[in-house]
Amino acid sequence: MPEFKDDRFDPSSAACPKLWCHITQKGVQGGAVLGTFAVAPVVGLYQHFIKKEKVDALKIAEGVALTTLGSLGLTFFVGSVKLLQMDREGMEDRVYRLHHNTGQHRNDHLSQVGGALGLAAAAYFLRGNSDAKPLHYIGGASVGAATGILLHMLTRPQETKSANKMMHELFN
């Protein structure tokens, strides 16, 4: 086991499940951001300008939800491949760094709170709607999660504004 500076945190206990939890969160967050800020506008513009229909919020929610679920599936695949390439020491090192990354904790917390608020908003606005499907609730939670991530990015302290290392971690 590698030497760690903080004796109070032991990354060797359940390193793989902790890493899977992180991977799952990133899959949901990535899909939520992509669905909310790319897919939703495209679906709305398509409905309005191409099909000449009234914009249907339920179809937009379905598009966001499917994007989030697709991203989660893709992340499971990529995460599996990446974890198969890591040794135990590499997993423990990654878990240790994630444990001490306050920016990551803040991002995850705001995303989770936003997701819960988005789900609550979807439940409120869909109450009594006989056309409501589970995908619509997932779409609402995804929009909330993406909003939480946007809030994190807009309000994070100046000293934490650095280049995102996710791609470096994913491919190295």
Side-chain angles (χ1 to χ4, degrees):
M1 184 168 113
E3 294 298 319
F4 296 106
K5 295 176 185 174
D6 185 358
D7 294 333
R8 294 169 291 175
F9 176 71
D10 180 15
S12 64
S13 64
C16 191
K18 288 177 184 178
L19 210 46
W20 266 113
C21 181
H22 172 73
I23 290 168
T24 302
Q25 286 185 40
K26 295 306 116 188
V28 170
Q29 290 172 0
V33 168
L34 182 63
T36 300
F37 299 116
V39 172
V42 168
V43 170
L45 291 171
Y46 175 77
Q47 289 175 343
H48 182 73
F49 290 109
I50 306 297
K51 293 185 85 176
K52 306 289 186 200
E53 297 176 349
K54 181 181 175 192
V55 176
D56 184 358
L58 295 180
K59 288 182 182 177
I60 291 174
E62 285 178 19
V64 173
L66 290 172
T67 303
T68 301
L69 294 174
S71 172
L72 182 59
L74 180 62
T75 304
F76 277 154
F77 174 74
V78 173
S80 297
V81 170
K82 183 65 177 170
L83 285 179
L84 287 173
Q85 296 171 350
M86 293 178 85
D87 60 359
R88 182 80 179 165
E89 190 173 297
M91 275 189 212
E92 291 174 6
D93 179 61
R94 184 71 181 125
V95 168
Y96 180 81
R97 286 185 284 130
L98 285 170
H99 177 77
H100 292 286
N101 188 334
T102 57
Q104 189 66 61
H105 289 293
R106 184 174 184 272
N107 179 64
D108 292 346
H109 178 74
L110 289 172
S111 173
Q112 291 163 0
V113 170
L117 291 174
L119 178 61
Y124 176 79
F125 288 113
L126 292 172
R127 71 186 185 289
N129 186 336
S130 61
D131 295 332
K133 300 176 188 172
L135 278 179
H136 300 138
Y137 297 98
I138 294 170
S142 297
V143 169
T147 304
I149 293 168
L150 179 63
L151 179 65
H152 165 72
M153 293 175 67
L154 293 175
T155 62
R156 65 186 170 175
Q158 185 63 33
E159 63 269 9
T160 64
K161 293 182 181 179
S162 62
N164 190 325
K165 298 179 183 177
M166 182 191 73
M167 296 309 283
H168 175 74
E169 290 295 328
L170 183 62
F171 294 111
N172 292 322

